[in-house]
Amino acid sequence: MAMAFKMATTGMWVTDECKNSFMEMKWKKVHRFIVFKIDEESKLVTVDKVGGPGEGYDDLAASLPGDDCRYAVFDFDFVTVDNCRKSKIFFIAWAPTASRIRAKILYATSKDGLRRVLDGISYEVQATDPTEMGIEVIRDRAK
């Protein structure tokens, strides 16, 4: 079985698994979140972890390493002031202070390429520590 890849800027390649997992989350609601990582040797953006529909934002936050960068998408369900159920997809660029400078640069320069492949993101959050991406931040942005 041949794998197809989409070229991101900076020479990174986004695997089909990334796009397919995102589409399953967006349309079928089978995932609550997806964490992506860059394999520096192969230059591939791959799926690192997938959170099932029963998992929540705390599970996503717990799956992000304290010393390495990641990208994540989170499907946030909420009820508007008009009592309408809505869903917004958040893209999170996670670059903790303890991560290597090289990793921070790699993730920063590759982010737009991955975002172009993931069609349907409503909001973006950049975080260097958990307080910058707390559920309150997500709630405030989704209003």
Side-chain angles (χ1 to χ4, degrees):
M1 181 172 123
M3 288 185 80
F5 304 107
K6 291 250 189 244
M7 178 89 172
T9 53
T10 70
M12 286 294 136
W13 294 87
V14 179
T15 63
D16 271 356
E17 180 191 18
C18 294
K19 186 170 185 173
N20 294 341
S21 295
F22 180 76
M23 290 307 200
E24 288 174 350
M25 181 181 89
K26 180 179 169 182
W27 297 113
K28 298 180 183 174
K29 303 288 186 189
V30 295
H31 312 307
R32 173 65 63 200
F33 65 84
I34 307 166
V35 178
F36 304 98
K37 73 177 190 176
I38 296 175
D39 182 313
E40 291 184 34
E41 284 191 29
S42 66
K43 302 286 191 225
L44 292 176
V45 179
T46 61
V47 172
D48 188 35
K49 181 176 186 345
V50 174
E55 293 190 66
Y57 195 72
D58 290 340
D59 299 305
L60 166 61
S63 66
L64 297 173
D67 61 352
D68 201 6
C69 301
R70 292 290 187 274
Y71 304 116
V73 286
F74 179 70
D75 190 1
F76 180 63
D77 294 324
F78 62 102
V79 177
T80 67
V81 290
D82 303 333
N83 212 24
C84 294
R85 295 186 62 77
K86 294 222 172 181
S87 176
K88 297 287 183 185
I89 297 177
F90 280 78
F91 181 90
I92 299 165
W94 173 247
T97 309
S99 58
R100 296 171 301 125
I101 297 287
R102 178 185 167 119
K104 289 179 189 177
I105 292 169
L106 181 62
Y107 276 77
T109 57
S110 302
K111 179 183 69 170
D112 289 340
L114 176 60
R115 282 221 36 194
R116 272 194 291 282
V117 173
L118 307 179
D119 185 39
I121 292 169
S122 301
Y123 302 102
E124 180 176 323
V125 174
Q126 296 190 32
T128 58
D129 71 64
T131 61
E132 295 177 347
M133 56 167 274
I135 192 64
E136 307 79 33
V137 173
I138 301 297
R139 275 195 197 103
D140 287 347
R141 295 284 292 279
K143 287 181 181 175

